[in-house]
Amino acid sequence: RQSRCFAEGEPTKRQTRTFDMCTGKTFITREKEGAVDYRFLPEPDLPPVILSKAMLNGHTIGSFTREYLVELPERAVQKLIEDYHLSDDIAVVISSDPPAIAFYRESVATARKLTDMKIERAIANWLCNDLFALVKENSDDEHDATVLNSCVSPSQLGELVSLVEKGDLSTPIGKKILSILYTEQVGKSPSEIAKEHGFQVISDVNELEHLCRTVVLDPSNEKQLNQYKKGGKHIRKMEKFFIGKAMAASNGAAQPELLMEALQSVLGRL
C-alpha cells in the first residue's frame, strides 16, 4: 500500500491501521493530527540520512536495492518453483540456506552441460537430503551448517548427479563418492574417484546373472529360495530379498534395472 502511494505521489496519512488476515489488507482505526499524537521525540543521536546518487554508486534507490539486497525468501522460493519445477517443500528447504540457491543453480548449470536429461529435481534431492546432511554432520554448530562451508563444490555435485542419472553410477555408489568427496579426497572430480576406486556400474548381463546365481544358490539363502518356489505372496518379497543380497555382493555397483532382469532370468530357470 505504501509503495503504491509513493509511486502515485500520494502522501501517506498519519494513521493507526489494523491488518485483516482474511483479506490481506489493512484498515484505518484512527487518524492522528500531528507528531504530538505519536508521543515520541526525535532521537538526537540518530541524525537524518540523506541518500544521494553518489552514495548509491549512481543508482536510484530502486535499482540499488534490486542489485545489492538479498532476494526475499518468498520470492526465492517462487523462482525456484517457476524456473526448475521443484515442489514447494524442496524449494523452501533450499531457500532456507540463502547461499544454497546459487549453489543449486550452478550445480544444475554444470549438469545440463553433461546430459540432456531433466535433472533439476534429482539435484535438488541430492542437495537437500545428502549434501545438507554432510554439511550438518561436519559443522561445529548450526551457524556453520551452510553450503558456504561445504567441501563439495556445485560443479562436483552437478557432475555426480548427472553420472548417477545417466546410469554410469548406481545411487549407493554415488552416495559413497559424495562422502569421499566431502571427507577424504576434496577437490577431485566424481569421475576420477569412481575410476580410482573401481566404482563403475556393472552392466554386463553375464556378470550380473553370475552374481545373482551365486546369491540365489548360496546355502545360507536356501530357506528364502524355498519360499520363492512356493509362489503367491512370497514371490515379490523374496525377489526384494535376493536383490538386496546381490546389490550388497556387488558393493552397490550393479545397475539396478539390469540386476532385476538378471535375477528374474536366473529364478525363472530354476
Side-chain angles (χ1 to χ4, degrees):
R1 185 186 67 88
Q2 291 179 334
S3 297
R4 188 187 69 252
C5 290
F6 179 80
E8 295 175 354
E10 177 186 338
T12 53
K13 299 179 180 179
R14 294 168 175 170
Q15 300 171 333
T16 297
R17 302 178 70 89
T18 185
F19 179 72
D20 187 333
M21 293 184 63
C22 296
T23 62
K25 297 181 179 180
T26 61
F27 297 92
I28 182 171
T29 57
R30 69 189 181 98
E31 292 198 10
K32 298 178 179 181
E33 296 295 331
V36 67
D37 290 328
Y38 286 92
R39 302 291 190 268
F40 68 77
L41 296 174
E43 171 55 61
D45 294 329
L46 294 177
V49 177
I50 309 299
L51 297 177
S52 65
K53 280 197 172 183
M55 295 175 64
L56 300 177
N57 296 324
H59 288 276
T60 63
I61 293 178
S63 63
F64 182 87
T65 54
R66 283 192 296 272
E67 182 166 344
Y68 293 102
L69 289 188
V70 176
E71 193 173 34
L72 294 176
E74 294 83 0
R75 180 56 183 158
V77 169
Q78 191 61 36
K79 281 184 68 65
L80 287 172
I81 294 172
E82 292 174 355
D83 295 346
Y84 301 101
H85 308 290
L86 303 180
S87 67
D88 291 4
D89 293 341
I90 290 292
V92 168
V93 172
I94 293 175
S95 61
S96 66
D97 180 12
I101 299 172
F103 188 103
Y104 171 73
R105 291 181 182 277
E106 188 176 339
S107 295
V108 171
T110 297
R112 284 174 172 173
K113 295 176 183 177
L114 301 173
T115 177
D116 295 329
M117 299 175 67
K118 295 293 183 182
I119 204 169
E120 295 80 7
R121 293 184 182 179
I123 291 178
N125 288 332
W126 277 79
L127 173 62
C128 295
N129 298 325
D130 300 284
L131 186 57
F132 276 0
L134 284 170
V135 169
K136 187 175 181 179
E137 181 181 332
N138 291 275
S139 298
D140 294 329
D141 56 59
E142 61 181 16
H143 300 294
D144 293 330
T146 168
V147 294
L148 281 177
N149 299 323
S150 170
C151 297
V152 175
S153 69
S155 60
Q156 286 174 316
L157 181 65
E159 180 187 349
L160 176 63
V161 178
S162 68
L163 289 172
V164 173
E165 291 299 302
K166 289 189 295 184
D168 295 334
L169 297 174
S170 66
T171 299
I173 288 298
K175 292 178 184 292
K176 285 184 182 180
I177 291 177
L178 183 65
S179 180
I180 292 172
L181 282 170
Y182 202 100
T183 59
E184 298 176 28
Q185 294 179 286
V186 177
K188 288 198 172 185
S189 73
S191 299
E192 289 174 330
I193 292 176
K195 187 175 181 180
E196 288 178 10
H197 291 76
F199 283 157
Q200 284 82 1
V201 165
I202 301 173
S203 55
D204 180 78
V205 174
N206 292 328
E207 187 175 354
L208 290 173
E209 286 192 359
H210 173 73
L211 179 68
C212 292
R213 193 178 299 109
T214 301
V215 168
V216 170
L217 299 179
D218 187 326
S220 64
N221 298 328
E222 183 178 359
K223 178 181 177 182
Q224 286 77 15
L225 179 57
N226 290 333
Q227 283 185 313
Y228 176 84
K229 289 180 178 179
K230 291 180 181 178
K233 63 180 181 181
H234 300 288
I235 290 180
R236 185 62 61 85
K237 183 178 180 180
M238 289 305 104
E239 280 183 345
K240 290 181 178 180
F241 171 82
F242 287 126
I243 279 290
K245 288 288 185 178
M247 185 63 78
S250 72
N251 292 319
Q255 209 282 341
E257 289 78 11
L258 294 178
L259 181 63
M260 175 58 81
E261 292 177 9
L263 175 65
Q264 290 175 340
S265 176
V266 169
L267 291 172
R269 293 197 294 267
L270 292 178

